[in-house]
PDB file of all heavy atoms in Angstrom:
ATOM      1  N   PHE A 202     -16.877 -34.580 -18.827  1.00 97.00           N
ATOM      2  CA  PHE A 202     -15.458 -34.264 -18.815  1.00 97.00           C
ATOM      3  C   PHE A 202     -14.718 -35.490 -18.297  1.00 97.00           C
ATOM      4  O   PHE A 202     -14.319 -35.548 -17.146  1.00 97.00           O
ATOM      5  CB  PHE A 202     -15.181 -33.038 -17.953  1.00 97.00           C
ATOM      6  CG  PHE A 202     -15.958 -31.814 -18.314  1.00 97.00           C
ATOM      7  CD1 PHE A 202     -17.169 -31.515 -17.692  1.00 97.00           C
ATOM      8  CD2 PHE A 202     -15.523 -31.029 -19.331  1.00 97.00           C
ATOM      9  CE1 PHE A 202     -17.902 -30.386 -18.064  1.00 97.00           C
ATOM     10  CE2 PHE A 202     -16.299 -29.850 -19.701  1.00 97.00           C
ATOM     11  CZ  PHE A 202     -17.462 -29.550 -19.031  1.00 97.00           C
ATOM     12  N   PRO A 203     -14.542 -36.457 -19.160  1.00 96.00           N
ATOM     13  CA  PRO A 203     -13.975 -37.743 -18.730  1.00 96.00           C
ATOM     14  C   PRO A 203     -12.501 -37.712 -18.356  1.00 96.00           C
ATOM     15  O   PRO A 203     -12.035 -38.554 -17.580  1.00 96.00           O
ATOM     16  CB  PRO A 203     -14.241 -38.709 -19.900  1.00 96.00           C
ATOM     17  CG  PRO A 203     -14.311 -37.753 -21.079  1.00 96.00           C
ATOM     18  CD  PRO A 203     -14.913 -36.500 -20.594  1.00 96.00           C
ATOM     19  N   VAL A 204     -11.769 -36.740 -18.908  1.00 98.00           N
ATOM     20  CA  VAL A 204     -10.312 -36.679 -18.670  1.00 98.00           C
ATOM     21  C   VAL A 204     -10.002 -35.329 -18.069  1.00 98.00           C
ATOM     22  O   VAL A 204     -10.222 -34.265 -18.639  1.00 98.00           O
ATOM     23  CB  VAL A 204      -9.488 -36.852 -19.968  1.00 98.00           C
ATOM     24  CG1 VAL A 204      -8.011 -36.828 -19.670  1.00 98.00           C
ATOM     25  CG2 VAL A 204      -9.866 -38.228 -20.641  1.00 98.00           C
ATOM     26  N   VAL A 205      -9.489 -35.356 -16.834  1.00 98.00           N
ATOM     27  CA  VAL A 205      -9.200 -34.109 -16.114  1.00 98.00           C
ATOM     28  C   VAL A 205      -7.743 -34.194 -15.525  1.00 98.00           C
ATOM     29  O   VAL A 205      -7.136 -35.269 -15.535  1.00 98.00           O
ATOM     30  CB  VAL A 205     -10.193 -33.874 -14.956  1.00 98.00           C
ATOM     31  CG1 VAL A 205     -11.623 -33.796 -15.481  1.00 98.00           C
ATOM     32  CG2 VAL A 205     -10.115 -35.015 -13.862  1.00 98.00           C
ATOM     33  N   SER A 206      -7.271 -33.063 -14.995  1.00 98.00           N
ATOM     34  CA  SER A 206      -5.921 -33.081 -14.354  1.00 98.00           C
ATOM     35  C   SER A 206      -6.025 -32.726 -12.891  1.00 98.00           C
ATOM     36  O   SER A 206      -5.045 -32.887 -12.148  1.00 98.00           O
ATOM     37  CB  SER A 206      -4.999 -32.118 -15.087  1.00 98.00           C
ATOM     38  OG  SER A 206      -5.372 -30.805 -14.801  1.00 98.00           O
ATOM     39  N   GLY A 207      -7.150 -32.123 -12.467  1.00 98.00           N
ATOM     40  CA  GLY A 207      -7.240 -31.595 -11.108  1.00 98.00           C
ATOM     41  C   GLY A 207      -7.579 -32.553 -10.046  1.00 98.00           C
ATOM     42  O   GLY A 207      -7.673 -33.807 -10.238  1.00 98.00           O
ATOM     43  N   PRO A 208      -7.736 -32.113  -8.777  1.00 98.00           N
ATOM     44  CA  PRO A 208      -7.974 -32.995  -7.625  1.00 98.00           C
ATOM     45  C   PRO A 208      -9.311 -33.621  -7.564  1.00 98.00           C
ATOM     46  O   PRO A 208      -9.548 -34.553  -6.785  1.00 98.00           O
ATOM     47  CB  PRO A 208      -7.730 -32.015  -6.433  1.00 98.00           C
ATOM     48  CG  PRO A 208      -8.037 -30.690  -6.978  1.00 98.00           C
ATOM     49  CD  PRO A 208      -7.600 -30.683  -8.393  1.00 98.00           C
ATOM     50  N   TYR A 209     -10.286 -33.161  -8.382  1.00 98.00           N
ATOM     51  CA  TYR A 209     -11.607 -33.724  -8.379  1.00 98.00           C
ATOM     52  C   TYR A 209     -12.103 -34.030  -9.831  1.00 98.00           C
ATOM     53  O   TYR A 209     -11.566 -33.457 -10.771  1.00 98.00           O
ATOM     54  CB  TYR A 209     -12.637 -32.834  -7.747  1.00 98.00           C
ATOM     55  CG  TYR A 209     -12.585 -32.791  -6.219  1.00 98.00           C
ATOM     56  CD1 TYR A 209     -11.657 -31.991  -5.553  1.00 98.00           C
ATOM     57  CD2 TYR A 209     -13.451 -33.577  -5.468  1.00 98.00           C
ATOM     58  CE1 TYR A 209     -11.620 -31.983  -4.202  1.00 98.00           C
ATOM     59  CE2 TYR A 209     -13.417 -33.561  -4.083  1.00 98.00           C
ATOM     60  CZ  TYR A 209     -12.511 -32.762  -3.428  1.00 98.00           C
ATOM     61  OH  TYR A 209     -12.429 -32.728  -2.059  1.00 98.00           O
ATOM     62  N   MET A 210     -13.005 -34.984  -9.915  1.00 98.00           N
ATOM     63  CA  MET A 210     -13.624 -35.211 -11.209  1.00 98.00           C
ATOM     64  C   MET A 210     -15.092 -35.401 -10.991  1.00 98.00           C
ATOM     65  O   MET A 210     -15.584 -35.585  -9.834  1.00 98.00           O
ATOM     66  CB  MET A 210     -13.011 -36.470 -11.876  1.00 98.00           C
ATOM     67  CG  MET A 210     -13.290 -37.787 -11.190  1.00 98.00           C
ATOM     68  SD  MET A 210     -12.266 -39.102 -11.894  1.00 98.00           S
ATOM     69  CE  MET A 210     -12.774 -38.968 -13.666  1.00 98.00           C
ATOM     70  N   LEU A 211     -15.892 -35.335 -12.074  1.00 98.00           N
ATOM     71  CA  LEU A 211     -17.301 -35.421 -11.954  1.00 98.00           C
ATOM     72  C   LEU A 211     -17.687 -36.851 -11.529  1.00 98.00           C
ATOM     73  O   LEU A 211     -17.168 -37.872 -12.040  1.00 98.00           O
ATOM     74  CB  LEU A 211     -17.980 -35.164 -13.280  1.00 98.00           C
ATOM     75  CG  LEU A 211     -18.179 -33.661 -13.621  1.00 98.00           C
ATOM     76  CD1 LEU A 211     -18.802 -33.539 -15.033  1.00 98.00           C
ATOM     77  CD2 LEU A 211     -19.103 -32.962 -12.623  1.00 98.00           C
ATOM     78  N   GLY A 212     -18.634 -36.935 -10.575  1.00 98.00           N
ATOM     79  CA  GLY A 212     -19.155 -38.202 -10.168  1.00 98.00           C
ATOM     80  C   GLY A 212     -20.611 -38.317 -10.718  1.00 98.00           C
ATOM     81  O   GLY A 212     -20.864 -37.994 -11.867  1.00 98.00           O
ATOM     82  N   LYS A 213     -21.527 -38.681  -9.854  1.00 98.00           N
ATOM     83  CA  LYS A 213     -22.888 -38.901 -10.312  1.00 98.00           C
ATOM     84  C   LYS A 213     -23.620 -37.543 -10.558  1.00 98.00           C
ATOM     85  O   LYS A 213     -23.482 -36.595  -9.767  1.00 98.00           O
ATOM     86  CB  LYS A 213     -23.710 -39.634  -9.207  1.00 98.00           C
ATOM     87  CG  LYS A 213     -25.086 -39.906  -9.528  1.00 98.00           C
ATOM     88  CD  LYS A 213     -25.862 -40.630  -8.428  1.00 98.00           C
ATOM     89  CE  LYS A 213     -27.335 -40.874  -8.800  1.00 98.00           C
ATOM     90  NZ  LYS A 213     -28.084 -41.552  -7.674  1.00 98.00           N
ATOM     91  N   ILE A 214     -24.316 -37.517 -11.679  1.00 98.00           N
ATOM     92  CA  ILE A 214     -25.159 -36.331 -11.995  1.00 98.00           C
ATOM     93  C   ILE A 214     -26.599 -36.753 -12.015  1.00 98.00           C
ATOM     94  O   ILE A 214     -26.995 -37.586 -12.836  1.00 98.00           O
ATOM     95  CB  ILE A 214     -24.710 -35.741 -13.374  1.00 98.00           C
ATOM     96  CG1 ILE A 214     -23.298 -35.180 -13.262  1.00 98.00           C
ATOM     97  CG2 ILE A 214     -25.684 -34.605 -13.716  1.00 98.00           C
ATOM     98  CD1 ILE A 214     -22.816 -34.536 -14.570  1.00 98.00           C
TER      99      ILE A 214
END
Side-chain angles (χ1 to χ4, degrees):
F202 304 95
V204 181
V205 302
S206 71
Y209 283 84
M210 64 189 307
L211 279 176
K213 181 181 178 182
I214 295 180

